[in-house]
Amino acid sequence: VERFGILGVQLIISIILARILMPSDFGLIAIITFFTLLAQIVIESGFGQALIQKQDCSLLDESTAFWFNLFTGILTMAVLFLAAPWIAHFYEQPRLINITRAISFNMMINSAGVVQNALLVKELQFKKRMIAGLVASVVSGVMSVALALKGFGVWALVIQILVNNFTRTLMLWIIHPWRPLFRFCTKSFLTLFRFGSNLLFSGVLNTIFGNIYILIIGKLFGMADLGYYHRAKEFMIATSQSLTQIVSQVNFPIMAKLQHSPDQMRNVFSQILHATMLAVLPMMVGIAATAPNLIHTVLGEKWMPCVPYLRILCAIGALLPVHALNLNILNALGRSDLYLRLEIIKKSLICISIFITYRFGIVFLLLGQFVCSVIGLLINSYYADKFIGYGIQRQLADNIKPILNGAVMGMAVYYLGTAMNMAPSAVTLATQVLLGVVTTLLMQYLLKDSIDMKYIKELLARNSNAMEPPANEP
């Protein structure tokens, strides 16, 4: 509810803005998004996950993390502010100077809420996070639409980002009672950084290579093409990536709690993976099958060039939750060193792929990314097999029914769209969605494929009770 409630609001706002603004406006914001995401990883430095993984954190540990995050936030804000002219010069877009400097203030704003956010995740208090995120999305969304209608252009998007992050951080401070001590402990810092440093470097790698296509497309193909790509990617973020974050945030603290019991970890992993596949596969296949009518109906004719990008990104998105769950095993076991090593190997593969495909266009760039994703999944699942005895073969065998369901539904929806190609796109889209839902439910019934929701609810409740926040003693 937290994730999709917020995304529901953001998606509506995004659709309205896409109809008012131009693709090049979104391209400019995409460029800055890369740098802000990278800075955010540096700000957190893996301390958020370190606080979750460490079961006996004291108030002094948490305060140390807070002051380090805040200092890093101010430092990255200054770096991004000063680097604005170089970024604008590289992309030959003078407007990027003021845009980058305005958005740089996000670094300091976000750093102030890292600890509260981590504690809410650790305590599984997702309802409170939902309130903070939903209020921020509504306030910033309404303001951005009003500015776009008044002709502010790309600055409507800039203001949306700033207001969203400020409101969310303020709400986190209001909702969570935690307050820092005015103390910094070197011992606490070193303990947290020992785990977090590997996640920091892994996060930097993930952010660079997860968004490197933004840098390449923006430089080689222009802001309009970047806008098309970024809009297609927003659909994947709103669906598969969001589900991945939901599952990962719930799964990680539970797996950390079970880190000394491989059998229990395997059981939890298999249940959550199956539930995730039942949700993600139909969604990704459905979006890919309906892509032309979806884009035309929701965004309008001017956004149709993003259809092929969206289809390939859906294939990549179908694998994202499986990647995340496999990597959660390493983090839950405290093996962030191995996590980093794997990320270096996988990112090296992406470099090779980009070097081979960039000269053939954006579609080939994304196809290369999909191939790297498949190889990366094989690498990640090897260690799931090594540590808890649940490798890729068992994962595929336990999820063959969702895979079959998605394949049948996808073909039915795609060929229906082909048969109705003369009908209005909105009518075709509605019919495809209806057929997709009916086919998915029918296949689940015929295959006798269902989620053990009772087990998952009991699991969440049991671990939520076991994770009451420790006494705030330094």
Side-chain angles (χ1 to χ4, degrees), residues 158-175:
V158 174
I159 297 300
Q160 181 188 24
I161 294 169
L162 290 169
V163 172
N164 183 284
N165 286 284
F166 176 80
T167 307
R168 182 175 180 273
T169 300
L170 178 64
M171 290 296 297
L172 287 174
W173 276 79
I174 293 172
I175 287 171

Side-chain angles (χ1 to χ4, degrees), residues 49 86 152 164 170 239 280-281 341 355 398 431 457:
Q49 287 184 287
W86 284 274
F152 277 72
N164 183 284
L170 178 64
T239 51
V280 171
L281 282 176
R341 197 180 310 160
F355 179 75
D398 287 350
T431 309
K457 287 179 179 178

Side-chain angles (χ1 to χ4, degrees), residues 16 18 60 72 81 172 199 210 213 257 300 317 360 369 371 435 470:
I16 296 171
L60 185 56
T72 311
F81 189 94
L172 287 174
L199 294 183
Y213 297 93
K257 194 73 176 178
F360 303 111
Q369 185 183 2
V371 172
L435 177 63

Side-chain angles (χ1 to χ4, degrees), residues 136-150:
S137 296
V138 171
V139 172
S140 62
V142 170
M143 188 175 295
S144 65
V145 170
L147 291 172
L149 290 172
K150 288 183 177 294

Side-chain angles (χ1 to χ4, degrees), residues 246-388:
I246 293 168
V247 173
S248 184
Q249 286 176 357
V250 174
N251 180 63
F252 177 48
I254 293 174
M255 296 289 272
K257 194 73 176 178
L258 302 175
Q259 59 188 270
H260 301 298
S261 177
D263 291 339
Q264 285 186 292
M265 289 183 74
R266 181 171 60 250
N267 191 29
V268 170
F269 182 96
S270 64
Q271 292 282 346
I272 294 181
L273 177 62
H274 186 71
T276 305
M277 286 296 97
L278 279 175
V280 171
L281 282 176
M283 190 181 299
M284 290 294 94
V285 173
I287 292 175
T290 64
N293 294 306
L294 176 65
I295 295 300
H296 192 274
T297 301
V298 174
L299 299 179
E301 181 70 29
K302 69 182 178 182
W303 290 97
M304 289 302 289
C306 74
V307 168
Y309 310 154
L310 177 58
R311 283 177 161 163
I312 301 172
L313 287 170
C314 283
I316 296 170
L319 302 179
L320 279 181
V322 193
H323 279 284
L325 288 172
N326 277 277
L327 290 173
N328 265 351
I329 294 172
L330 299 181
N331 286 338
L333 294 172
R335 293 301 307 272
S336 59
D337 58 324
L338 186 54
Y339 184 110
L340 174 60
R341 197 180 310 160
L342 294 184
E343 291 306 303
I344 292 173
I345 294 172
K346 289 182 290 185
K347 275 33 178 184
S348 299
L349 292 175
I350 292 178
C351 287
I352 296 171
S353 167
I354 290 172
F355 179 75
I356 295 172
T357 60
Y358 81 91
R359 67 201 72 187
F360 303 111
I362 299 173
V363 169
F364 281 91
L365 271 172
L366 298 182
L367 287 173
Q369 185 183 2
F370 173 72
V371 172
C372 291
S373 181
V374 173
I375 296 173
L377 179 58
L378 297 176
I379 296 172
N380 292 339
S381 61
Y382 168 80
Y383 286 96
D385 188 28
K386 180 178 179 179
F387 290 120
I388 65 171

